[in-house]
Amino acid sequence: MSNARATHLTRRGILAAGSALGLGAVLAACGDDDAKNGGSDDATTAAKSGPWAFKDDRGTTVKLDKVPSKIVAFVGVAAALHDYGIEVKGVFGPTKTQDGKADVQAGDMDISKLTVFGNVWDQFNVEEYAAFAPEVLISTTFDSAGTLWYVPEASKDKIAKLAPSAAISVYDRQITQPLQKMWELAESLGADMKADKVAQSKKDFEAAAERLRKAAKARPEIKVLAGSASQDLFYVSGTNLSIDLEYFKALGVKFVEPPESAKDDGGWYESLSWENVDKYPADIIMMDDRSSTIQPADITETTWKKLPAVKAGQVIARSPEPILSYDKCTPLLTSLAEAIEKAKKVA
């Protein structure tokens, strides 16, 4: 892995942490929930022909003469738009695994039809991007500065000159806000948001959220830990900056997490040696499902195998960089709700 750094955080730490870190991540106190999770205003305009405008989470309004068709996006953004019927032709970020299969962050897209400008961190082919003649670049941002996720620091200025960009913030807020922003983006690009499948996906998400709320209320004794594995370290995530964990916590899920004083720079997580992996007892462990991390089935550490939650089979997947469509986020809620409903108290 690259050793790119953000506020003194190593790239390994950023990728392996149980939260998706952004470049230049800065701790910000959690504000009013209503302000952080409310819907957007009339910032977005859409038309299937004629001018196009979209106000992103940086406060920047992107304006084009027509709705863009040559979109380049971070792979997770492209996957979300795909769920709403908008096909992105060019992507960057984890798209293919080493064996050539679709990465988990590619969702349901047919990756054989995509132009991939960079598949790993710090990789972005600017020449190919320029030849592609993009109309707009869209990514997420994991910090308060609006840094575009997976756009390399070294080439960001060259990339910026080739097409305007838009960012959806996934920093220090609950998942409902970026979900709504992605909905608005898809609608602006011409997606039929009244289609039965799309409308049903939102209803399913709301039903899953209510199920998780009820499960958490019924089983307050169940403690959940969000973790991530690398070869040398195990990362225990905090809940204050990650869009999924903040939302789960708001629904009543009880998390085991490091105190602020124990968290590494940036405040996202605490890194532990494998010998100390039992520092925070938990009934359920949610493990980072990204391809940059070691998956539970491949962890050979004896201390891991001895954890009560592991021995009880109470380990589930977590998506620190969820695909921001209601269709893809609903299973995240359902999986956690089911785990809490069925969990044995083992910690």
Side-chain angles (χ1 to χ4, degrees), residues 39-120:
S40 300
D41 52 19
D42 57 355
T44 300
T45 58
K48 293 191 176 181
S49 61
W52 177 79
F54 179 76
K55 185 175 181 180
D56 74 359
D57 284 328
R58 301 171 300 182
T60 300
T61 299
V62 183
K63 296 181 179 181
L64 299 174
D65 292 338
K66 62 182 180 65
V67 176
S69 59
K70 297 197 76 175
I71 302 169
V72 173
F74 174 69
V75 62
V77 172
L81 291 174
H82 172 85
D83 286 349
Y84 292 129
I86 302 298
E87 299 303 327
V88 173
K89 298 184 174 84
V91 300
F92 56 96
T95 306
K96 301 177 182 180
T97 59
Q98 290 184 349
D99 58 4
K101 296 180 180 179
D103 189 276
V104 65
Q105 294 191 64
D108 295 332
M109 293 189 295
D110 182 349
I111 62 173
S112 68
K113 296 181 179 179
L114 299 173
T115 299
V116 183
F117 299 106
N119 192 64
V120 299

Side-chain angles (χ1 to χ4, degrees), residues 195-272:
D196 290 344
K197 182 180 179 181
V198 173
Q200 187 61 48
S201 70
K202 192 170 185 178
K203 292 179 181 177
D204 290 344
F205 176 88
E206 292 166 350
E210 184 58 27
R211 178 181 175 181
L212 180 54
R213 187 192 304 276
K214 290 180 177 178
K217 184 177 182 179
R219 301 294 308 279
E221 76 280 11
I222 298 300
K223 301 299 190 294
V224 181
L225 180 147
S228 185
S230 70
Q231 182 175 352
D232 300 320
L233 296 171
F234 182 80
Y235 301 85
V236 179
S237 181
T239 60
N240 290 336
L241 300 177
S242 301
I243 57 173
D244 60 332
L245 301 185
E246 282 206 19
Y247 187 53
F248 299 157
K249 184 170 63 174
L251 292 175
V253 177
K254 302 297 190 297
F255 282 94
V256 179
E257 57 182 312
E260 290 300 321
S261 59
K263 292 178 183 176
D264 293 346
D265 290 356
W268 290 83
Y269 58 86
E270 178 182 359
S271 54
L272 301 173

Side-chain angles (χ1 to χ4, degrees), residues 100-308:
K101 296 180 180 179
D103 189 276
V104 65
Q105 294 191 64
D108 295 332
M109 293 189 295
D110 182 349
I111 62 173
S112 68
K113 296 181 179 179
L114 299 173
T115 299
V116 183
F117 299 106
N119 192 64
V120 299
W121 182 256
D122 232 15
Q123 180 188 89
F124 197 113
N125 192 313
V126 180
E127 290 73 22
E128 289 186 6
Y129 179 68
F132 186 82
E135 295 172 288
V136 66
L137 180 148
I138 308 171
S139 190
T140 50
T141 180
F142 282 89
D143 62 26
S144 58
T147 306
L148 295 173
W149 188 231
Y150 262 81
V151 172
E153 180 71 18
S155 55
K156 67 177 184 179
D157 292 339
K158 292 180 181 179
I159 293 169
K161 292 177 181 178
L162 296 170
S165 65
I168 293 179
S169 179
V170 286
Y171 173 69
D172 193 21
R173 61 198 62 204
Q174 294 175 22
I175 199 171
T176 46
Q177 186 173 347
L179 273 172
Q180 176 62 28
K181 198 68 176 179
M182 186 68 73
W183 177 285
E184 294 170 3
L185 174 62
E187 187 173 37
S188 78
L189 292 170
D192 181 3
M193 309 312 282
K194 295 181 179 179
D196 290 344
K197 182 180 179 181
V198 173
Q200 187 61 48
S201 70
K202 192 170 185 178
K203 292 179 181 177
D204 290 344
F205 176 88
E206 292 166 350
E210 184 58 27
R211 178 181 175 181
L212 180 54
R213 187 192 304 276
K214 290 180 177 178
K217 184 177 182 179
R219 301 294 308 279
E221 76 280 11
I222 298 300
K223 301 299 190 294
V224 181
L225 180 147
S228 185
S230 70
Q231 182 175 352
D232 300 320
L233 296 171
F234 182 80
Y235 301 85
V236 179
S237 181
T239 60
N240 290 336
L241 300 177
S242 301
I243 57 173
D244 60 332
L245 301 185
E246 282 206 19
Y247 187 53
F248 299 157
K249 184 170 63 174
L251 292 175
V253 177
K254 302 297 190 297
F255 282 94
V256 179
E257 57 182 312
E260 290 300 321
S261 59
K263 292 178 183 176
D264 293 346
D265 290 356
W268 290 83
Y269 58 86
E270 178 182 359
S271 54
L272 301 173
S273 66
W274 282 103
E275 290 78 9
N276 295 315
V277 74
D278 58 355
K279 181 176 180 179
Y280 300 104
D283 302 294
I284 296 170
I285 301 176
M286 305 174 68
M287 288 296 288
D288 190 337
D289 69 353
R290 291 173 294 178
S291 57
S292 57
T293 67
I294 299 175
Q295 296 307 299
D298 299 320
I299 299 175
T300 59
E301 299 289 341
T302 302
T303 48
W304 164 262
K305 294 181 178 180
K306 289 182 178 179
L307 293 178

